[in-house]
Amino acid sequence: MEGYSSMSKKKGEGLKSFNKGFSVPDTYIIIFFVVVLAAIVTFFVPKGYYETQDVTYMMNGVEKTRTVIKDGSFQYLTDDAGKAVTEGVTLFSGDGESGFFNYMFNGIVSDSAIQIIAFLLVVGGAFGIMIRTGAIEAGLVGLIRKAKGAEKLMIPVLFVLFSLGGAVFGMGEEALPFTMILCPLFVAVGYDTVIAVLVTYVATQIGFGASWMNPFSVGIAQGIAGIDVFSGAGFRMVMWVVFTALGCGMTMFYAAKVKKTPTISVAYETDQYFRDQNEKTGIDEGHSFGIGHILVLLTLAVTVVWVVWGVMKKGYYMPEIATQFFIMGIVAGVIFHLNNMKVNDIATSFKNGAKDLIGAALVVAMAQGIMQVLGGSDPTTPTVINTIMYGISKALAGLSGAAAAVLMYLFQSVFNFFVVSGSGQAAVTMPIMAPLADLLGVTRQTSVLAFQLGDAFTNLIVPTSGCLIGSLAIARIEWSSWIKFMWKYLGVLMIGAVITILIAVGIGF
């Protein structure tokens, strides 16, 4: 990340602006203007919709059914004269619909946002209790002592583990609690919170995009495309190794630069919070580590194993995972003799932990409000987003081979801004992209490859990703600052994705 060396060494300068004299808007302001843009689009783009049908596919030997868009069923919403209807969003809706200024509330209560918001608050509260016990801090001290002189070895180990989690069981939201743990650790050993986000959330998304067996993206997309579920695993396994190594290498390169010159970090100022916390808790000094700390950390370890087992064996998702961590918080709080913790301290710690993530929850709501302004993502409901997707898919018609496959990837990358959910994006786009691939001379396997790479990598920057915003909030990194860091990192991954797709086309994958 060579560009960061050009940042001014003067404290604060360069961290709050993209260009001299221009103050970077707050994340809330940025998203607000995106909502404004979405509202303007509704006045020029007509509404459209699709018909759907149920399809069956096999997953792990079990036949499943999913509702998907029927190929060739797109229609414009028309008036009595047969003219396509263009209906701009109203400023305010008093009948429960989506007006422009309703975007905040509607974003909060939308199905796609409410679970993420609840997840953030419950897990944040649970870890508030866990942190209050002091067990994590004591454990970090022990880890730091053992890692003295070998801190950089933690980066590849953690990166590979989290990437594997993304590849095997679609790990994403589950990385948030680990980001909470690792932020103070990496700051204490001379790195920054950017690296904590890289080895947790970013690593999961690289694994997610390069997966050979992710049931939430590859499995569903292949089933909808009409090809054997989890086929092509050999090619994808090699792809996972390459992208994981690439991401890990870039992370280690950046870590070495930050270790040498901490002020180049976009999180240098905000990391002061963790430096202060580490100083207060004595994370760099001696620290007692008793039986109570061991019991709390054991509770954390058991919870992690329970979560992994639940996701892989029982299909647990955010409601179950949040509850598992909630139980962890209660159990940790019951061991209230640590740090003279009383019963009321458990409640206070939970509230404080949840409070730290309220800002992130509101950003998630605002981001989901963008989709509400555009009418929502239901393919059977006349919306602007359906028309936009149809127009882009038609623009690919007439192309062939490598160009078509690359454009499919770019389309999926852009569309991921609107539909972050992997399974949701597969359900909306693959019924169109799979038959389109047949017409353009691209295999359906390659169309799935374009989907999974496009679905994952742009999750590293889009503000509509609740997991990204949650991770940045935990690390106390502004989204605008994150973009300044991530654009080169993401650029390398996207170039790698294009090369991968071209290789796939070349070998007839």
Side-chain angles (χ1 to χ4, degrees), residues 54-118:
D54 291 336
V55 298
T56 58
Y57 57 96
M58 301 298 296
M59 181 176 291
N60 296 331
V62 179
E63 185 176 87
K64 295 181 177 292
T65 302
R66 190 171 188 87
T67 301
V68 300
I69 294 172
K70 184 183 299 184
D71 182 33
S73 66
F74 178 81
Q75 302 176 57
Y76 288 106
L77 178 67
T78 59
D79 56 21
D80 293 338
K83 183 179 179 180
V85 173
T86 301
E87 185 178 10
V89 65
T90 60
L91 287 177
F92 169 78
S93 174
D95 55 4
E97 298 299 324
S98 296
F100 173 78
F101 287 110
N102 298 87
Y103 81 92
M104 173 62 86
F105 181 85
N106 288 346
I108 292 174
V109 300
S110 65
D111 292 339
S112 54
I114 192 65
Q115 285 198 7
I116 295 177
I117 292 172

Side-chain angles (χ1 to χ4, degrees), residues 150-474:
E151 297 91 350
K152 62 182 181 181
L153 295 180
M154 293 190 295
I155 295 175
V157 171
L158 291 171
F159 200 100
V160 170
L161 288 176
F162 280 95
S163 178
L164 190 63
V168 174
F169 61 91
M171 189 177 192
E173 295 86 352
E174 301 87 349
L176 297 180
F178 297 98
T179 307
M180 295 180 185
I181 298 172
L182 292 174
C183 279
L185 170 60
F186 278 115
V187 170
V189 297
Y191 292 128
D192 65 359
T193 51
V194 169
I195 297 173
V197 177
L198 288 174
V199 301
T200 53
Y201 175 72
V202 171
T204 65
Q205 295 311 292
I206 289 177
F208 193 98
S211 173
W212 65 92
M213 61 168 295
N214 184 346
F216 305 113
S217 63
V218 177
I220 290 175
Q222 287 181 325
I224 293 172
I227 58 179
D228 292 339
V229 173
F230 300 144
S231 58
F235 181 91
R236 288 185 171 88
M237 285 181 181
V238 174
M239 178 175 71
W240 175 78
V241 171
V242 171
F243 276 106
T244 299
L246 181 62
C248 184
M250 288 191 291
T251 300
M252 295 184 71
F253 176 73
Y254 170 73
K257 294 184 66 176
V258 168
K259 187 84 167 180
K260 182 178 180 181
T261 313
T263 53
I264 68 172
S265 170
V266 296
Y268 181 72
E269 284 192 332
T270 53
D271 280 355
Q272 188 61 44
Y273 169 82
F274 294 101
R275 288 191 286 269
D276 292 342
Q277 289 295 106
N278 290 343
E279 184 177 350
K280 289 179 182 178
T281 57
I283 199 165
D284 294 316
E285 304 170 1
H287 203 289
S288 62
F289 190 71
I291 185 65
H293 298 95
I294 295 174
L295 291 175
V296 172
L297 291 179
L298 182 61
T299 300
L300 173 61
V302 170
T303 302
V304 171
V305 173
W306 187 22
V307 168
V308 172
W309 173 83
V311 170
M312 297 185 66
K313 296 296 184 180
K314 296 294 185 179
Y316 289 172
Y317 194 47
M318 281 187 285
E320 295 83 6
I321 296 169
T323 303
Q324 288 171 306
F325 279 110
F326 179 69
I327 294 171
M328 175 200 72
I330 293 176
V331 173
V334 168
I335 311 173
F336 57 86
H337 292 297
L338 291 175
N339 287 354
N340 298 316
M341 192 171 182
K342 306 303 180 183
V343 174
N344 282 346
D345 291 334
I346 298 176
T348 300
S349 301
F350 184 88
K351 288 186 287 186
N352 289 337
K355 181 176 64 177
D356 287 342
L357 292 182
I358 287 178
L362 290 178
V363 171
V364 170
M366 294 177 69
Q368 294 301 325
I370 298 170
M371 283 298 295
Q372 297 298 310
V373 169
L374 291 173
S377 58
D378 181 5
T380 62
T381 300
T383 65
V384 170
I385 193 62
N386 285 333
T387 302
I388 292 174
M389 187 190 69
Y390 173 72
I392 295 176
S393 66
K394 292 296 291 183
L396 296 178
L399 298 176
S400 61
V406 171
L407 286 176
M408 283 182 179
Y409 162 69
L410 294 177
F411 163 73
Q412 296 284 9
S413 298
V414 173
F415 192 75
N416 192 45
F417 178 89
F418 302 101
V419 182
V420 181
S421 166
S423 57
Q425 187 172 339
V428 172
T429 62
M430 287 312 301
I432 296 173
M433 291 300 166
L436 182 62
D438 297 336
L439 298 175
L440 301 178
V442 177
T443 67
R444 293 196 170 198
Q445 191 74 268
T446 299
S447 72
V448 172
L449 186 69
F451 151 74
Q452 67 179 105
L453 290 171
D455 169 53
F457 290 169
T458 47
N459 282 339
L460 304 182
I461 62 167
V462 294
T464 45
S465 169
C467 294
L468 170 63
I469 298 302
S471 295
L472 295 182
I474 291 167

